[in-house]
Amino acid sequence: MAGSSASAGSAGSSGGRKPGPGRGASLSWAQVRAALPGAFRKLDPRELVASPVLFVVELGAVATTALAAFEPSVFAWAIALWLWATVLFATLAESVAESRGKAQASSLRATQQQTTARRVMAPSDTLATGTGLASCPTAEVPSSTLAVGDVVVVRAGEIVPGDGDVIEGVASVDESAITGESAPVIRESGGDRSAVTGGTVVLSDTIVVRITAPAGHTFVDRMIALVEGSERQRTPNEIALNILLTSLTIIFLLAVVTLQPFAVYSGSKQSMIVLISLLVCLIPTTIGALLSAIGIAGMDRLVQRNVLAMSGRAVEAAGDVDVLLLDKTGTITYGNRQAADLLTVGDVTTAQLAEAARLSSLADETPEGKSIVVLVRERYGLGDAQADQADAFAGAEMVPFSAHTRMSGIDLPLPDGRVRRIRKGAGSAVQRWVHSTGVRTSSGPGATVAEQLAAHVDAVSSSGGTPLVVAEQVGEGPARVLGVVHLKDVVKAGMRERFDELRAMGIRTVMVTGDNAVTARAIAAEAGVDDVLAEATPEDKLALIRREQAGGRLVAMAGDGTNDAPALAQADVGVAMNTGTTAAKEAGNMVDLDSDPTKLIEIVEIGKQLLITRGALTTFSIANDIAKYFAILPAMFMVVFPQLAVLNVMRLSSPESAILSAVVFNALIILVLIPLSLKGVRYRPSSASAMLRRNLLVYGVGGLVAPFVGIKLIDLVISLIPGIG
């Protein structure tokens, strides 16, 4: 996952500005007003037929309205009104959920604009080389005419005309219109940060981009379609629950139909309005009304976190994940090794080693070199921002770090005319330099410098760190080793606690790294992950995912490089970084616009919250249907069978009041639960058995109690209405 660490740093700020799971989802009257037109449009039977439960309720509302018009009464019209309200509240729930996505889509659509593209006019063999294209002649064409494979030049201040990969150059790009992140990002050719998105703005330099998506099928187009819900398909779990609800509806429909002959036989014939009311109250209207809204809201919560899910199936799979593959660099650690300690050898003092480590790192522009300067300044009080500038050393020759020498340093002229040479770098490189000048084997009594040095190097390496050796030479004499700088991967704060939470959910975490096994195990122990895949190759990742899936487990992973694409495609939840390659984004079923690999943990939590919300409201719906039996059935037959009075535990005023109160409660409970379906049930990491107990206690018992209280309160009001009470 090269490049992820760079982006993760900038993503850290954006991660805090988005509402997390269960936040930012309150329902306002403005949202309700905006969603009402859509709710009325959804009353079209052709729309509702996809939800058999609501379709049956609408048919009941139509029939009741016709009966009320044929034989008018306060009771009949009240039942008809509240049956229509039941259907409207159900469509309102879905409409409100969709309106949030449409608001997000509107802001995305604003980023799309027709622009002029500078298409490179060159022979196909020249275009295939990917070099020297910035100086080729170009023709200005509308961005809407670009096709896959076209090559365009984008200069500073210009808008990227379409999705593509940078094949030449490097530039700073403003992606705030897409990601919301104000900090610009670097896009360059030849790496895992080569993908650019249409509608973003190049801030500096010039890049050459090869178009990878035709107009109308860009990444932003896909985002708009998905967040609007126009491409949202029902997930397998949602389909299964719909089948269950349909089955229950058919069962209760048959029960109500066959109830009338028994009622006639017993001398208690019921009107069609009463039978329709009974049917509506018995079928699972509550969860049937909220099911679609729960699914849409789950995807919307991901959008709030700047994650685009390509399907609802991916969100559900995230909630069922058993194994989490996490890249070490940029996910578990900060990505760049940092100086943690200084270890002296012989008679060298810590102050001497600190000064030499600082001086030899001033020309080292790597993050590791800069961290040494910071460590010495903060821990030992040596140097400051001005003194650490290379030009502050008049006459000194700076030796920058290079991959060839694997060292950095400085040559300082002394007052006596001699030169003090200080070097810092990989142990083998520095030792070769020391031996080339002559070796001073001992700096004091006891163990030799070589033995002390070997002990320090072994200790740092076995702890998972990287040892850098510091040495100096004065004049033409032999150089001497001063000590070792301990570089270590710094585990991000709070990671151990996050892994403990995942473990409580029953999720096994696997750290994937290219480090050797010793280093990998040390970092894994510090971070608290369950397992390690060290010296990992793309083939190793793919093989691990397949082994886990063969054992019946669902696997999630994040990646950003082309070499991650096979594993992302194989994983049940593959989260591609937006900074990554086009291949990675096409292989994954989610894209993180902030390119923050740690967000994989949040994605799992959002997926679980979606499943828990659906399960909780299903439990509540079935439980309150049971309670409604005690309101309607005694009211229907109590006159003929006085013994049923014992079931009238709520002591409702009259049969008509009991039936109407149940219908009113059935409608209002949908309206009450809309905010919860959008916000989601609060998720607490725990075992499956603990979550089941909580679900049954809170939503099972609550679903039984709420109707008794609600129906009784409604009955007290309805009993005051002439013609019903």
Side-chain angles (χ1 to χ4, degrees):
M1 288 179 59
S4 62
S5 58
S7 60
S10 64
S13 59
S14 64
R17 62 186 164 77
K18 292 283 182 180
R23 295 190 296 275
S26 58
L27 186 64
S28 66
W29 284 113
Q31 289 176 321
V32 173
R33 286 195 300 270
L36 270 175
F40 279 105
R41 284 193 297 270
K42 288 180 181 294
L43 293 176
D44 186 335
R46 292 169 296 182
E47 290 265 353
L48 283 182
V49 73
S51 176
V53 176
L54 298 182
F55 184 66
V56 168
V57 177
E58 185 172 51
L59 290 179
V62 171
T64 305
T65 303
L67 292 171
F70 185 71
E71 294 183 8
S73 70
V74 175
F75 174 73
W77 280 113
I79 292 291
L81 174 66
W82 281 101
L83 289 183
W84 281 113
T86 302
V87 185
L88 181 61
F89 293 162
T91 59
L92 180 65
E94 185 174 0
S95 185
V96 169
E98 287 181 351
S99 68
R100 296 183 175 209
K102 290 176 180 177
Q104 179 82 7
S106 298
S107 64
L108 290 170
R109 192 172 279 110
T111 68
Q112 291 185 306
Q113 51 185 298
Q114 179 72 7
T115 185
T116 300
R118 303 176 190 272
R119 186 167 61 192
V120 175
M121 307 301 293
S124 57
D125 56 344
T126 303
L127 294 177
T129 63
T131 57
L133 298 176
S135 57
C136 289
T138 60
E140 294 189 354
V141 299
S143 59
S144 59
T145 64
L146 293 176
V148 175
D150 284 347
V151 176
V152 297
V153 177
V154 190
R155 301 188 174 97
E158 295 180 348
I159 297 173
V160 178
D163 292 1
D165 291 327
V166 178
I167 59 175
E168 183 181 330
V170 57
S172 175
V173 179
D174 177 10
E175 295 187 341
S176 58
I178 306 298
T179 67
E181 174 58 58
S182 58
V185 296
I186 300 298
R187 292 290 178 264
E188 57 188 337
S189 62
D192 289 341
R193 291 182 292 169
S194 59
V196 289
T197 305
T200 57
V201 181
V202 174
L203 299 179
S204 67
D205 304 296
T206 299
I207 52 176
V208 179
V209 177
R210 191 184 304 278
I211 299 298
T212 58
H217 295 82
T218 64
F219 185 64
V220 173
D221 289 318
R222 291 164 65 194
M223 288 177 64
I224 290 172
L226 286 163
V227 300
E228 280 186 329
S230 58
E231 289 188 6
R232 195 189 86 86
Q233 298 178 347
R234 295 179 186 269
T235 64
N237 285 345
E238 197 171 341
I239 292 172
L241 186 54
N242 253 317
I243 293 173
L244 173 63
L245 299 182
T246 302
S247 301
L248 290 174
T249 300
I250 294 173
I251 290 171
F252 284 121
L253 179 62
L254 293 174
V256 171
V257 168
T258 56
L259 185 64
Q260 183 71 319
F262 289 101
V264 172
Y265 178 77
S266 62
S268 182
K269 182 179 179 180
Q270 303 295 321
S271 69
M272 284 296 298
I273 291 178
V274 171
L275 292 174
I276 291 171
S277 301
L278 174 64
L279 174 63
V280 170
C281 288
L282 295 188
I283 63 177
T285 51
T286 306
I287 186 59
L290 300 174
L291 185 59
S292 183
I294 293 169
I296 296 172
M299 295 187 70
D300 181 60
R301 280 193 289 277
L302 279 179
V303 173
Q304 292 173 17
R305 296 299 300 165
N306 260 6
V307 177
L308 173 65
M310 301 306 179
S311 68
R313 182 192 296 263
V315 187
E316 281 193 354
D320 284 329
V321 160
D322 302 295
V323 180
L324 211 57
L325 267 59
L326 297 164
D327 194 72
K328 183 203 73 175
T329 304
T331 305
I332 295 174
T333 66
Y334 282 106
N336 298 312
R337 300 192 174 202
Q338 299 180 15
D341 202 6
L342 301 178
L343 308 171
T344 62
V345 296
D347 56 3
V348 177
T349 65
T350 303
Q352 289 174 321
L353 176 57
E355 185 220 12
R358 167 180 167 266
L359 292 174
S360 60
S361 300
L362 293 178
D364 186 354
E365 292 299 322
T366 65
E368 291 83 358
K370 293 178 179 178
S371 75
I372 294 173
V373 176
V374 172
L375 174 72
V376 171
R377 182 192 308 159
E378 294 180 349
R379 185 177 298 181
Y380 303 103
L382 297 178
D384 54 45
Q386 182 176 0
D388 289 341
Q389 297 299 317
D391 57 11
F393 297 89
E397 181 180 348
M398 312 303 293
V399 181
F401 173 84
S402 74
H404 177 68
T405 64
R406 295 194 297 161
M407 293 190 302
S408 66
I410 188 172
D411 293 345
L412 284 170
L414 299 176
D416 60 6
R418 293 183 298 170
V419 177
R420 181 187 179 195
R421 299 177 179 86
I422 309 173
R423 297 293 185 269
K424 173 222 70 194
S428 58
V430 172
Q431 289 188 64
R432 279 196 302 270
W433 179 76
V434 169
H435 283 290
S436 70
T437 65
V439 181
R440 180 177 179 179
T441 58
S442 178
S443 295
T448 65
V449 168
E451 291 171 343
Q452 292 183 23
L453 179 63
H456 287 328
V457 169
D458 289 344
V460 172
S461 298
S462 63
S463 69
T466 300
L468 296 181
V469 178
V470 181
E472 72 171 353
Q473 179 193 30
V474 179
E476 300 303 321
R480 67 167 183 163
V481 174
L482 302 178
V484 173
V485 179
H486 180 183
L487 293 179
K488 63 177 293 187
D489 275 310
V490 179
V491 175
K492 292 181 178 179
M495 291 306 294
R496 176 173 285 276
E497 290 75 15
R498 298 298 295 274
F499 291 138
D500 288 341
E501 292 178 0
L502 290 169
R503 199 171 294 110
M505 299 181 214
I507 297 174
R508 186 167 66 90
T509 53
V510 181
M511 185 183 79
V512 179
T513 176
D515 286 342
N516 61 69
V518 173
T519 300
R521 282 196 295 269
I523 296 170
E526 183 180 353
V529 297
D530 298 314
D531 205 350
V532 176
L533 179 64
E535 300 178 5
T537 64
E539 293 77 13
D540 293 334
K541 296 179 186 178
L542 188 59
L544 174 62
I545 293 173
R546 286 174 174 168
R547 283 198 304 272
E548 296 291 347
Q549 290 173 333
R553 290 175 285 274
L554 269 65
V555 182
M557 73 161 289
D560 62 358
T562 301
N563 62 346
D564 291 323
L568 286 171
Q570 182 67 36
D572 300 283
V573 179
V575 183
M577 302 295 104
N578 190 45
T579 56
T581 62
T582 300
K585 290 196 283 188
E586 289 179 348
N589 50 21
M590 291 189 187
V591 176
D592 176 20
L593 302 182
D594 292 329
S595 300
D596 178 6
T598 59
K599 204 179 290 181
L600 184 58
I601 298 173
E602 297 178 37
I603 290 171
V604 171
E605 292 177 346
I606 291 172
K608 286 192 174 295
Q609 186 184 36
L610 168 63
L611 297 180
I612 290 170
T613 301
R614 185 183 295 155
L617 293 185
T618 300
T619 303
F620 184 91
S621 177
I622 294 174
N624 72 45
D625 284 343
I626 295 173
K628 283 179 283 189
Y629 302 164
F630 288 89
I632 294 183
L633 291 179
M636 291 175 63
F637 297 103
M638 199 165 52
V639 175
V640 178
F641 301 105
Q643 297 88 342
L644 289 178
V646 70
L647 296 180
N648 186 21
V649 293
M650 288 178 268
R651 296 294 183 262
L652 301 177
S653 303
S654 66
E656 291 79 8
S657 175
I659 293 168
L660 181 56
S661 297
V663 171
V664 172
F665 176 84
N666 194 61
L668 291 180
I669 198 63
I670 296 173
L671 196 61
V672 170
L673 291 176
I674 289 177
L676 182 60
S677 69
L678 299 178
K679 181 180 179 181
V681 173
R682 184 180 177 185
Y683 172 68
R684 297 187 183 96
S686 58
S687 65
S689 58
M691 285 191 287
L692 178 60
R693 284 195 302 272
R694 177 172 172 265
N695 186 33
L696 292 175
L697 286 173
V698 175
Y699 296 96
V701 176
L704 284 172
V705 173
F708 284 96
V709 176
I711 290 174
K712 179 60 179 178
L713 292 175
I714 295 170
D715 174 73
L716 293 175
V717 175
I718 288 177
S719 63
L720 302 177
I721 300 175
I724 296 178

